[in-house]
Amino acid sequence: MEIRSAYQRYSTLILSGLIVFVILLSLFVFSHQSLRLDESQSLWQTSHTPTKILNIIAQDVHVPFYHFILHFWQLFLGNSVLTGRILSLIFFILSIPAIYFLGKRTFSPSIGILGATLLAVSPFMNWYGNEIRMYSLMTLLTILSQYFFTMIFKTHDRDAWVGYFIVNVFGIFTHYFFFFVLVVQAIFYLMYRRLFPAKALRRFIIIAVVLFLIFTPWLLYVHSLGSASNETPQLAAPNSINIFNTFSQFLFGFQNDHLNTILVSLWPLTVLLGFLALRENKKVSPEAVYMLLSILVPVAAAFVVSITLVPLFVSRYLILTIPSVYLFIGWILSTYPEALRKILTALLVFSMLAGLAVEAYSPSAPVKEDYRDAAAYLEQNAAPQDVIILSAPFTVYPVEYYYRGPAEIETLPLWNRYVTGPIPGFDETKLPDEVATLKGSHEKAYVLLSYDQGYEEKIRIYMDTHFERIDMKTFSPGLTLYTYRLRYDPYVLSGKTATSTKK
Amino acid sequence: MTPLYTKTLLPPKDEFLLNRTPRFLLVVNIFISIFYFIVIAFWFKISNPYLFGVLIVGQIFFTWQGLMYIHTIWNTSYMPESDPRFAEPVDIYITVAGEPAEIVEETLQAALDMEYPNFRVFILNDGFVAKKSNWQDMEMLARQYGATCITRRTPGGAKAGNINNALRETKAPFVVIFDADHIPHRDFLKKTMCYFADKKVAFVQSPQYYKNFSVNEVTGGSWEQQELFFGAILKGKNRLNAVTMCGTNMAIRRAPLEAVGGMCDTNIAEDFVTGLMIHQNGWKSVYVPEVLAEGLAPEDFLSYYKQQLRWARGSLEVLFKYNPIFKRGLTWGQKMQYLASASYYLTGLFVIVNAIVPLVFFFTGAVPFVVSTMALAIIFLPYMFLTLYIVQLSTNFTYTFRALAFSMSSWPIHLLALYQLLTFQKSGFAITSKRAVSGNFVRFAIPHIIYFTIGIIGVIFALHRDGLTASVATNSSWIILNSMIFIPFIRAAMPQRENYPVESPLVTAPNI
């Protein structure tokens, strides 16, 4: 009881400290990072009128709630990268007390505090809490939905239904994966009907019907437009490694391949953690089952759908499981003897902080996209008589955001953005013609390859075998610039190139 | 009349008897277990055929044990009919072989105080043949309380011989057996004898509860292992008419016992074999899932070790000499149940085989199959965690890490028992000490310490050879896992720090 009250007494202080930590980290580390592809798309998408935003998002793989918020946020505060990131940061910061209250209501104040701590030091959350995307909002809404749902079956509070409904309306328009939150809640209700108030089933059905009615027009609208192909990165079908990578990223962030491989290879230790949780009369409570379902159902469903229907297994889409992962870990640790619990908690927090530091400062962190440096390099080196070729085509958004140089920017496959319609797909037989078109009378080609869509290597080999490669530079993992000489006329050979003149 | 036995007992810890397991989870576990086995046996590409072979044999054993467990706990609520009016005469046997008089006195008092219309209490005194200095104390004790002491003068057959001797000197159609330290509750007879109204019931067993479970690591570990057996397993065996006879806290009909020649005195697990032979003759057995008597767990590691060795030796003897599969008169359900119980003591063999596989990799680079460690994880983890959860549900969350650790760390005991059996070494019946024996028994944990040491050397060796690869990381994790599991066993073998009376060993340590 004393421990419980101590956690409650100091909860404000601890939560404030965690929030300050997150803000400082954002201010000194994450806000200085280059704009990434997804972020540039968010900025581009939300720079339109609300009707146009609806139109663009309907052809994308997302739902529009976050984009509307971002649109109006930018109207008032400007459309810089920083202001966009601050919006995500606000949702992330709000998630910290939210998960505390969820953990406190579901398990205990100490588990709430641990959940909040893990969320605040999470390399994964800090990454997406500073990205101009909907993921931190999705996390916040997931926590709130779980909070109200827990209120419904733990306190039978009638007001909880109102909050539950409102949060879920916003949730389903934030990300399609939010439906997994509702699916898990439905499964839990079927398993533990006895815990719910008498009229719960009727209310759940009413809410489900209303949500369906609200969401149906959007689905019809999306269907009427059809999706825009090649607008976004293609996803590969996942395998078992992706599942473990996802959990590894949730705990230790984005690490280089070797470190990540080692981390996931330690999986037998999870068996040990399970064994250690075998304690007399430490029962698996319904709340723990709910958290476990909230982890397993979305991951399993996304995996199965990805290998059977369409690949959509992306760790960031599964961010909705993170609150449950952290609270479930907190619950598991709470079953251990005190000394072991303290040691393992400290070890976990320390490991996550180490992962956060490596993710923040290591240039080999796999999710880094240094388009800013690439654009600066191009601005410095590419002359008006050169051409910049980007592949995949949609990477034009982040490059254009930064690039202010004189060279012409083109894409491979060729894509005229000012003509309505999808991005043309890659066709190897058309590659020679397309490259010939791009070559024109340019002197050098700066081929910036990133977001491999399965044809990056073909482009590189074609360019390597038809032109002289004179330079290569990697800015971040998967973001490489190849420079080719396209012409050999006397003017160029004399060495008085535009670049050298510029220098 | 003032009750003789007035000591207030704390309410027994009986959560282990309140179990439930949803059948759909059992079905899922069956599928996952079989799926896991099929995948590792047929799907993965074999690398080293010898390692693969031993791993598969081990997995066949574990899968079979797992499926048998599910078969056992499929229905744990079955109870046969009883008649509370049943009141046939009963002889109560308290088996003694040199236990301290005060311990026997408590049991005697409680036995005399039982509520039942027609019973006599006998102290079965084996102190004389066991050459115990206090054997005459038992006769004095019996006289003091108006009970009868049967002191055996002709040795042979250990506890079984003691009981058989008493059978010849007593007449009641039913006998009840208590070990010297097992204090019966007043309602023991009322709650067990009523099942003999069915004339086909030969014996009624109740839990062997250890009231001293909280004294130290040894008693705790012993009891937590017992909870699984006396909870889910015996409750399930009730349905299959395959209840294991446990030698204490049980009531037996004289006729079927005499029909099999009394308690079997050619096996150190005399109760187990006697129960099997009675079942062979078509008799029924009943398990009463209620704590009706309270005894003492071994309080020191030496006693625990010897008890486990005796059980292992006796059970393996059943496997090799009285294999239930070839016994006529048993149903297939009974054969499987006896086989599963007896073969439990082969677990150690497969535990150590599995534990050695990472060491083989460290020093030779050999692996059983070529597979991504993640692919193995994706099928192993659901299998493992679901099995654990089912064990937890079926024991009402009383199965502990310590119980698991004690079971898995008992591999040297199981191997020793197997070795003794295969080399035809003579086995002796050693009574489990009722008092803690002081000392440092860490020598019993030397195999575990050696494993841990070789593991560390192996990790260093493999790191030097391969660098930090996924295989090295995974196999190192297995070493950590195994070593952590051995820790409670090692700790229990070290000198205990409890405030509990200890005395010099009552019996000499076995030659191991």
Coordinates of all heavy atoms in Angstrom, one line a residue, chain A residues 9-81:
Chain A
R9 N 1.8 9.6 -5.2 CA 2.2 10.9 -4.7 C 3.2 11.5 -5.6 O 3.1 12.7 -5.9 CB 2.9 10.6 -3.3 CG 2.9 11.9 -2.5 CD 3.5 11.6 -1.1 NE 3.0 10.4 -0.5 CZ 3.8 9.5 0.1 NH1 5.1 9.6 0.1 NH2 3.2 8.4 0.6
Y10 N 4.1 10.7 -6.2 CA 5.1 11.3 -7.0 C 4.8 11.2 -8.5 O 5.6 11.6 -9.4 CB 6.5 10.6 -6.8 CG 7.0 10.9 -5.4 CD1 7.1 9.8 -4.4 CD2 7.3 12.2 -4.9 CE1 7.5 10.0 -3.1 CE2 7.7 12.4 -3.6 CZ 7.8 11.3 -2.7 OH 8.2 11.6 -1.5
S11 N 3.6 10.7 -8.8 CA 3.3 10.5 -10.3 C 3.4 11.8 -11.1 O 4.0 11.8 -12.2 CB 1.9 9.9 -10.4 OG 0.9 10.8 -9.9
T12 N 2.9 12.9 -10.5 CA 3.0 14.2 -11.3 C 4.4 14.6 -11.6 O 4.7 15.0 -12.7 CB 2.3 15.3 -10.5 OG1 1.0 14.8 -10.0 CG2 2.1 16.5 -11.3
L13 N 5.2 14.4 -10.5 CA 6.6 14.8 -10.7 C 7.3 13.9 -11.7 O 8.0 14.4 -12.6 CB 7.3 14.6 -9.3 CG 8.7 15.3 -9.1 CD1 8.5 16.8 -9.3 CD2 9.3 14.9 -7.8
I14 N 7.0 12.6 -11.6 CA 7.7 11.7 -12.6 C 7.2 11.9 -14.0 O 8.0 12.0 -14.9 CB 7.4 10.2 -12.2 CG1 8.0 9.9 -10.8 CG2 7.9 9.2 -13.2 CD1 7.5 8.6 -10.2
L15 N 5.9 12.1 -14.1 CA 5.4 12.3 -15.5 C 5.9 13.6 -16.1 O 6.3 13.7 -17.2 CB 3.8 12.4 -15.5 CG 3.2 11.0 -15.1 CD1 1.7 11.2 -15.0 CD2 3.5 10.0 -16.2
S16 N 6.0 14.6 -15.2 CA 6.6 15.9 -15.7 C 8.0 15.7 -16.2 O 8.4 16.3 -17.2 CB 6.5 17.0 -14.6 OG 5.2 17.1 -14.1
G17 N 8.7 15.0 -15.4 CA 10.1 14.7 -15.7 C 10.2 14.0 -17.1 O 11.1 14.3 -17.9
L18 N 9.4 13.0 -17.3 CA 9.4 12.3 -18.5 C 9.0 13.2 -19.7 O 9.6 13.1 -20.8 CB 8.4 11.1 -18.4 CG 8.7 10.0 -17.4 CD1 7.6 9.0 -17.3 CD2 10.0 9.3 -17.9
I19 N 8.1 14.1 -19.5 CA 7.7 15.0 -20.6 C 8.8 15.9 -20.9 O 9.1 16.2 -22.1 CB 6.4 15.7 -20.2 CG1 5.2 14.8 -20.2 CG2 6.1 16.9 -21.1 CD1 3.9 15.3 -19.6
V20 N 9.5 16.4 -19.9 CA 10.6 17.3 -20.1 C 11.7 16.6 -20.9 O 12.3 17.1 -21.8 CB 11.1 17.9 -18.8 CG1 12.5 18.6 -19.0 CG2 10.1 18.8 -18.1
F21 N 11.9 15.4 -20.5 CA 12.9 14.5 -21.2 C 12.6 14.4 -22.7 O 13.5 14.6 -23.5 CB 13.0 13.1 -20.5 CG 13.8 12.1 -21.3 CD1 15.2 12.1 -21.2 CD2 13.2 11.2 -22.1 CE1 15.9 11.2 -21.9 CE2 13.9 10.3 -22.8 CZ 15.3 10.3 -22.7
V22 N 11.3 14.1 -23.0 CA 10.9 14.0 -24.4 C 11.1 15.3 -25.1 O 11.5 15.3 -26.3 CB 9.5 13.5 -24.4 CG1 8.8 13.6 -25.8 CG2 9.4 12.0 -24.0
I23 N 10.7 16.4 -24.5 CA 10.8 17.7 -25.1 C 12.2 18.1 -25.4 O 12.6 18.5 -26.5 CB 10.1 18.8 -24.3 CG1 8.6 18.6 -24.3 CG2 10.4 20.2 -24.8 CD1 7.9 19.5 -23.3
L24 N 13.1 17.8 -24.5 CA 14.5 18.1 -24.6 C 15.1 17.3 -25.7 O 15.9 17.8 -26.6 CB 15.3 17.9 -23.3 CG 15.0 18.9 -22.2 CD1 15.7 18.6 -20.9 CD2 15.3 20.4 -22.6
L25 N 14.7 16.1 -25.8 CA 15.3 15.1 -26.8 C 14.8 15.6 -28.2 O 15.6 15.6 -29.1 CB 14.7 13.7 -26.5 CG 15.5 12.6 -27.0 CD1 16.9 12.5 -26.4 CD2 14.8 11.3 -26.7
S26 N 13.6 16.0 -28.2 CA 13.1 16.5 -29.5 C 13.8 17.8 -29.9 O 14.2 17.9 -31.1 CB 11.6 16.8 -29.4 OG 11.1 17.4 -30.5
L27 N 14.0 18.7 -29.0 CA 14.6 20.0 -29.3 C 16.0 19.8 -29.7 O 16.4 20.5 -30.7 CB 14.5 20.8 -28.0 CG 14.6 22.3 -28.1 CD1 13.5 22.8 -28.9 CD2 14.6 22.9 -26.7
F28 N 16.8 19.0 -29.0 CA 18.2 18.9 -29.3 C 18.6 17.8 -30.3 O 19.7 17.8 -30.8 CB 19.0 18.7 -28.0 CG 18.9 19.9 -27.1 CD1 18.2 19.9 -26.0 CD2 19.6 21.1 -27.5 CE1 18.1 21.1 -25.2 CE2 19.5 22.3 -26.7 CZ 18.7 22.2 -25.6
V29 N 17.7 16.9 -30.5 CA 18.1 15.8 -31.4 C 17.2 15.6 -32.6 O 17.5 15.9 -33.8 CB 18.1 14.4 -30.7 CG1 18.5 13.3 -31.6 CG2 19.1 14.5 -29.5
F30 N 15.9 15.3 -32.4 CA 15.1 14.8 -33.5 C 14.6 16.0 -34.4 O 14.4 15.8 -35.5 CB 13.9 14.1 -32.9 CG 14.2 12.7 -32.4 CD1 14.3 12.5 -31.0 CD2 14.6 11.7 -33.2 CE1 14.6 11.2 -30.5 CE2 14.9 10.4 -32.8 CZ 15.0 10.2 -31.4
S31 N 14.5 17.2 -33.8 CA 14.1 18.3 -34.6 C 15.1 18.7 -35.7 O 14.8 19.4 -36.6 CB 13.7 19.5 -33.7 OG 14.9 20.0 -33.1
H32 N 16.4 18.2 -35.4 CA 17.4 18.6 -36.4 C 17.5 17.6 -37.5 O 18.4 17.8 -38.4 CB 18.8 18.7 -35.6 CG 18.8 19.8 -34.6 ND1 18.8 21.1 -35.0 CD2 18.7 19.8 -33.3 CE1 18.8 21.9 -33.9 NE2 18.7 21.0 -32.8
Q33 N 16.7 16.6 -37.5 CA 16.9 15.6 -38.6 C 16.2 16.1 -39.9 O 15.3 16.9 -39.9 CB 16.2 14.3 -38.1 CG 17.0 13.7 -37.0 CD 16.6 12.3 -36.7 OE1 15.5 11.9 -37.0 NE2 17.5 11.5 -36.1
S34 N 16.7 15.5 -40.9 CA 16.2 15.8 -42.3 C 14.7 15.4 -42.4 O 14.3 14.4 -41.8 CB 17.0 15.1 -43.3 OG 16.4 15.1 -44.6
L35 N 14.1 16.1 -43.3 CA 12.7 15.7 -43.6 C 12.7 14.4 -44.3 O 13.6 14.1 -45.1 CB 12.1 16.8 -44.6 CG 10.7 16.6 -45.0 CD1 9.7 17.0 -43.8 CD2 10.4 17.5 -46.2
R36 N 11.8 13.5 -43.9 CA 11.8 12.2 -44.6 C 10.7 12.1 -45.6 O 9.8 13.0 -45.7 CB 11.6 11.1 -43.5 CG 12.8 11.1 -42.5 CD 12.7 10.0 -41.5 NE 11.7 10.2 -40.4 CZ 12.0 10.8 -39.3 NH1 13.2 11.4 -39.1 NH2 11.0 11.0 -38.4
L37 N 10.7 11.1 -46.4 CA 9.8 10.9 -47.5 C 8.3 11.1 -47.0 O 7.5 11.8 -47.6 CB 9.9 9.6 -48.2 CG 8.9 9.2 -49.2 CD1 9.0 10.2 -50.4 CD2 9.0 7.8 -49.7
D38 N 8.0 10.3 -46.0 CA 6.6 10.3 -45.5 C 6.2 11.7 -45.0 O 5.1 12.1 -45.3 CB 6.4 9.3 -44.3 CG 6.3 7.9 -44.9 OD1 6.3 7.7 -46.1 OD2 6.1 7.0 -44.0
E39 N 7.1 12.3 -44.4 CA 6.8 13.7 -43.9 C 6.6 14.7 -45.0 O 5.7 15.5 -45.0 CB 8.0 14.2 -43.0 CG 8.2 13.4 -41.7 CD 9.3 14.0 -40.9 OE1 10.5 14.0 -41.4 OE2 9.1 14.5 -39.8
S40 N 7.4 14.5 -46.0 CA 7.3 15.4 -47.2 C 5.9 15.2 -47.9 O 5.3 16.1 -48.3 CB 8.4 15.2 -48.2 OG 8.3 13.9 -48.7
Q41 N 5.5 13.9 -47.8 CA 4.2 13.7 -48.4 C 3.1 14.3 -47.6 O 2.1 14.8 -48.1 CB 4.0 12.1 -48.6 CG 4.8 11.6 -49.7 CD 4.5 10.1 -50.0 OE1 4.2 9.4 -49.1 NE2 4.5 9.7 -51.2
S42 N 3.2 14.2 -46.3 CA 2.2 14.8 -45.4 C 2.1 16.3 -45.6 O 1.0 16.9 -45.8 CB 2.6 14.6 -43.9 OG 2.5 13.3 -43.6
L43 N 3.3 16.9 -45.8 CA 3.3 18.4 -46.0 C 2.7 18.7 -47.3 O 1.9 19.7 -47.5 CB 4.8 18.9 -45.9 CG 5.4 18.9 -44.5 CD1 6.8 19.4 -44.6 CD2 4.6 19.7 -43.5
W44 N 3.1 17.9 -48.3 CA 2.5 18.2 -49.7 C 1.0 18.0 -49.7 O 0.2 18.8 -50.2 CB 3.2 17.3 -50.7 CG 2.6 17.5 -52.1 CD1 2.9 18.5 -52.9 CD2 1.7 16.6 -52.7 NE1 2.2 18.3 -54.1 CE2 1.4 17.2 -54.0 CE3 1.0 15.5 -52.3 CZ2 0.6 16.6 -54.9 CZ3 0.1 14.9 -53.2 CH2 -0.1 15.5 -54.5
Q45 N 0.6 16.8 -49.1 CA -0.8 16.5 -49.1 C -1.7 17.5 -48.4 O -2.8 17.9 -48.8 CB -1.1 15.1 -48.4 CG -0.6 14.0 -49.3 CD -0.4 12.7 -48.5 OE1 -0.3 12.7 -47.3 NE2 -0.4 11.5 -49.2
T46 N -1.2 18.1 -47.3 CA -2.0 19.0 -46.5 C -1.8 20.4 -46.9 O -2.4 21.3 -46.3 CB -1.6 18.8 -45.0 OG1 -0.2 19.1 -44.8 CG2 -1.9 17.5 -44.4
S47 N -1.0 20.6 -47.9 CA -0.9 22.0 -48.4 C -2.0 22.4 -49.4 O -2.1 23.5 -49.9 CB 0.4 22.2 -49.2 OG 0.4 21.3 -50.3
H48 N -3.0 21.5 -49.6 CA -4.1 21.7 -50.5 C -5.3 22.1 -49.7 O -5.3 22.2 -48.4 CB -4.4 20.5 -51.3 CG -3.3 20.0 -52.1 ND1 -2.2 19.3 -51.7 CD2 -3.0 20.3 -53.4 CE1 -1.4 19.0 -52.7 NE2 -1.8 19.6 -53.7
T49 N -6.4 22.4 -50.4 CA -7.6 22.8 -49.8 C -8.2 21.5 -49.1 O -7.9 20.4 -49.5 CB -8.7 23.3 -50.8 OG1 -8.9 22.2 -51.8 CG2 -8.2 24.5 -51.5
P50 N -9.1 21.7 -48.2 CA -9.7 20.5 -47.5 C -10.3 19.5 -48.5 O -10.2 18.3 -48.3 CB -10.7 21.1 -46.6 CG -10.2 22.4 -46.2 CD -9.5 22.9 -47.5
T51 N -11.0 20.0 -49.5 CA -11.6 19.0 -50.4 C -10.6 18.3 -51.2 O -10.7 17.1 -51.4 CB -12.5 19.8 -51.5 OG1 -12.6 21.1 -51.1 CG2 -13.8 19.2 -51.6
K52 N -9.5 19.0 -51.6 CA -8.4 18.3 -52.3 C -7.7 17.3 -51.4 O -7.3 16.3 -51.8 CB -7.5 19.4 -52.8 CG -6.3 18.8 -53.7 CD -6.8 18.2 -55.0 CE -5.7 17.7 -55.8 NZ -6.2 16.8 -56.9
I53 N -7.6 17.7 -50.1 CA -6.9 16.8 -49.2 C -7.7 15.5 -49.1 O -7.1 14.4 -49.2 CB -6.8 17.4 -47.8 CG1 -5.8 18.6 -47.8 CG2 -6.4 16.4 -46.7 CD1 -5.8 19.3 -46.5
L54 N -9.0 15.6 -49.0 CA -9.9 14.4 -49.0 C -9.6 13.6 -50.3 O -9.4 12.3 -50.2 CB -11.3 14.8 -49.0 CG -12.0 15.0 -47.7 CD1 -13.5 15.3 -47.9 CD2 -11.9 13.7 -46.8
N55 N -9.5 14.2 -51.4 CA -9.3 13.5 -52.7 C -8.0 12.8 -52.7 O -7.9 11.7 -53.1 CB -9.4 14.6 -53.8 CG -9.2 13.9 -55.1 OD1 -8.1 13.9 -55.6 ND2 -10.3 13.4 -55.7
I56 N -6.9 13.5 -52.2 CA -5.6 12.9 -52.2 C -5.5 11.8 -51.3 O -5.0 10.7 -51.6 CB -4.5 14.0 -51.9 CG1 -4.4 15.1 -53.0 CG2 -3.2 13.4 -51.7 CD1 -3.6 16.3 -52.6
I57 N -6.0 12.0 -50.1 CA -5.9 10.9 -49.0 C -6.7 9.7 -49.4 O -6.3 8.5 -49.2 CB -6.3 11.4 -47.7 CG1 -5.5 12.6 -47.2 CG2 -6.2 10.4 -46.6 CD1 -4.0 12.4 -47.2
A58 N -7.8 9.9 -50.1 CA -8.7 8.8 -50.5 C -8.0 7.9 -51.5 O -8.2 6.7 -51.6 CB -10.0 9.3 -51.1
Q59 N -7.0 8.5 -52.2 CA -6.3 7.7 -53.2 C -5.0 7.1 -52.5 O -4.3 6.3 -53.2 CB -5.9 8.5 -54.4 CG -7.1 9.0 -55.2 CD -6.7 9.9 -56.3 OE1 -6.3 9.4 -57.3 NE2 -6.9 11.2 -56.1
D60 N -4.7 7.6 -51.3 CA -3.5 7.1 -50.6 C -4.0 5.8 -49.8 O -5.1 5.3 -50.0 CB -3.0 8.2 -49.7 CG -1.6 7.9 -49.2 OD1 -1.0 6.9 -49.5 OD2 -1.1 8.8 -48.4
V61 N -3.1 5.4 -48.9 CA -3.5 4.3 -48.0 C -4.0 4.7 -46.6 O -4.0 3.9 -45.7 CB -2.3 3.3 -47.9 CG1 -2.0 2.6 -49.2 CG2 -1.1 4.0 -47.3
H62 N -4.3 5.9 -46.5 CA -4.7 6.4 -45.2 C -6.1 7.0 -45.1 O -6.8 7.0 -46.1 CB -3.6 7.4 -44.7 CG -2.3 6.8 -44.5 ND1 -2.1 5.9 -43.5 CD2 -1.1 6.9 -45.1 CE1 -0.8 5.5 -43.5 NE2 -0.2 6.1 -44.5
V63 N -6.4 7.4 -43.9 CA -7.7 8.1 -43.6 C -7.4 9.6 -43.2 O -6.3 9.8 -42.8 CB -8.5 7.4 -42.6 CG1 -9.4 6.4 -43.2 CG2 -7.6 6.6 -41.6
P64 N -8.3 10.5 -43.3 CA -7.9 11.9 -43.4 C -7.9 12.7 -42.1 O -7.5 13.9 -42.1 CB -9.0 12.5 -44.3 CG -10.2 11.7 -44.0 CD -9.7 10.3 -43.6
F65 N -8.2 12.1 -40.9 CA -8.4 13.0 -39.7 C -7.1 13.7 -39.4 O -7.1 15.0 -39.2 CB -8.8 12.1 -38.5 CG -9.0 12.9 -37.3 CD1 -9.8 14.0 -37.2 CD2 -8.3 12.5 -36.1 CE1 -10.0 14.7 -36.0 CE2 -8.4 13.2 -34.9 CZ -9.3 14.3 -34.9
Y66 N -6.0 13.0 -39.4 CA -4.7 13.7 -39.0 C -4.4 14.8 -40.0 O -3.9 15.8 -39.7 CB -3.6 12.6 -39.0 CG -2.2 13.3 -38.9 CD1 -1.7 13.8 -37.7 CD2 -1.4 13.4 -40.1 CE1 -0.5 14.4 -37.7 CE2 -0.2 14.0 -40.0 CZ 0.3 14.5 -38.8 OH 1.5 15.1 -38.8
H67 N -4.6 14.5 -41.3 CA -4.3 15.5 -42.3 C -5.1 16.8 -42.2 O -4.5 17.8 -42.5 CB -4.5 14.8 -43.7 CG -3.6 13.6 -43.9 ND1 -4.0 12.4 -43.5 CD2 -2.4 13.5 -44.5 CE1 -3.0 11.5 -43.8 NE2 -2.0 12.2 -44.4
F68 N -6.3 16.6 -41.8 CA -7.1 17.9 -41.5 C -6.5 18.7 -40.4 O -6.4 19.9 -40.4 CB -8.6 17.5 -41.3 CG -9.3 17.3 -42.5 CD1 -10.1 16.1 -42.7 CD2 -9.3 18.2 -43.6 CE1 -10.8 15.9 -43.9 CE2 -10.0 18.0 -44.7 CZ -10.7 16.8 -44.9
I69 N -6.2 17.9 -39.3 CA -5.6 18.6 -38.1 C -4.3 19.3 -38.6 O -4.1 20.5 -38.3 CB -5.3 17.6 -37.0 CG1 -6.5 16.9 -36.5 CG2 -4.6 18.4 -35.8 CD1 -6.3 15.9 -35.4
L70 N -3.5 18.6 -39.3 CA -2.2 19.2 -39.8 C -2.4 20.4 -40.7 O -1.7 21.4 -40.6 CB -1.4 18.1 -40.5 CG 0.0 18.5 -41.0 CD1 0.9 19.0 -39.8 CD2 0.7 17.4 -41.7
H71 N -3.4 20.3 -41.5 CA -3.8 21.4 -42.5 C -4.1 22.6 -41.7 O -3.5 23.7 -42.0 CB -4.9 20.9 -43.3 CG -5.5 22.0 -44.2 ND1 -4.8 22.4 -45.4 CD2 -6.5 22.8 -44.1 CE1 -5.5 23.4 -45.9 NE2 -6.6 23.7 -45.2
F72 N -5.0 22.5 -40.7 CA -5.4 23.7 -40.0 C -4.3 24.2 -39.0 O -4.1 25.4 -38.8 CB -6.7 23.5 -39.2 CG -7.9 23.4 -40.2 CD1 -8.5 22.1 -40.4 CD2 -8.3 24.5 -40.9 CE1 -9.5 22.0 -41.3 CE2 -9.4 24.4 -41.8 CZ -10.0 23.1 -42.0
W73 N -3.5 23.3 -38.5 CA -2.4 23.6 -37.7 C -1.4 24.5 -38.5 O -0.9 25.5 -38.0 CB -1.7 22.3 -37.2 CG -0.5 22.4 -36.5 CD1 0.8 22.3 -36.9 CD2 -0.3 22.6 -35.0 NE1 1.7 22.4 -35.9 CE2 1.1 22.6 -34.7 CE3 -1.2 22.8 -34.0 CZ2 1.6 22.7 -33.5 CZ3 -0.7 22.9 -32.7 CH2 0.6 22.9 -32.5
Q74 N -1.2 24.1 -39.7 CA -0.2 24.8 -40.5 C -0.8 26.2 -40.9 O 0.0 27.1 -41.1 CB 0.1 24.0 -41.8 CG 1.0 22.8 -41.5 CD 1.3 22.0 -42.7 OE1 2.5 21.9 -43.1 NE2 0.3 21.5 -43.3
L75 N -2.1 26.2 -41.1 CA -2.7 27.5 -41.4 C -2.4 28.5 -40.4 O -2.2 29.7 -40.6 CB -4.2 27.3 -41.6 CG -4.8 26.8 -42.9 CD1 -6.3 26.8 -42.9 CD2 -4.3 27.6 -44.1
F76 N -2.5 28.1 -39.1 CA -2.3 29.0 -38.0 C -0.8 29.2 -37.7 O -0.4 30.3 -37.3 CB -3.0 28.5 -36.8 CG -4.5 28.7 -36.9 CD1 -5.3 27.5 -37.1 CD2 -5.1 29.9 -36.9 CE1 -6.7 27.7 -37.3 CE2 -6.5 30.0 -37.1 CZ -7.3 28.9 -37.3
L77 N 0.0 28.2 -37.8 CA 1.4 28.2 -37.2 C 2.4 28.1 -38.3 O 3.6 28.1 -38.0 CB 1.6 27.1 -36.2 CG 0.7 27.3 -35.0 CD1 0.7 26.0 -34.1 CD2 1.1 28.5 -34.1
G78 N 2.1 28.0 -39.6 CA 3.1 27.9 -40.6 C 3.3 26.5 -41.0 O 3.0 25.6 -40.3
N79 N 4.0 26.4 -42.2 CA 4.1 25.0 -42.7 C 5.6 24.5 -42.7 O 6.0 23.8 -43.6 CB 3.5 24.9 -44.1 CG 4.3 25.8 -45.1 OD1 5.1 26.6 -44.7 ND2 4.0 25.7 -46.4
S80 N 6.3 24.9 -41.7 CA 7.7 24.5 -41.6 C 7.7 23.0 -41.1 O 6.7 22.5 -40.6 CB 8.5 25.4 -40.7 OG 8.1 25.1 -39.4
V81 N 8.9 22.4 -41.3 CA 9.0 21.0 -40.8 C 8.9 21.0 -39.3 O 8.2 20.2 -38.7 CB 10.4 20.5 -41.2 CG1 10.7 19.2 -40.5 CG2 10.6 20.4 -42.7

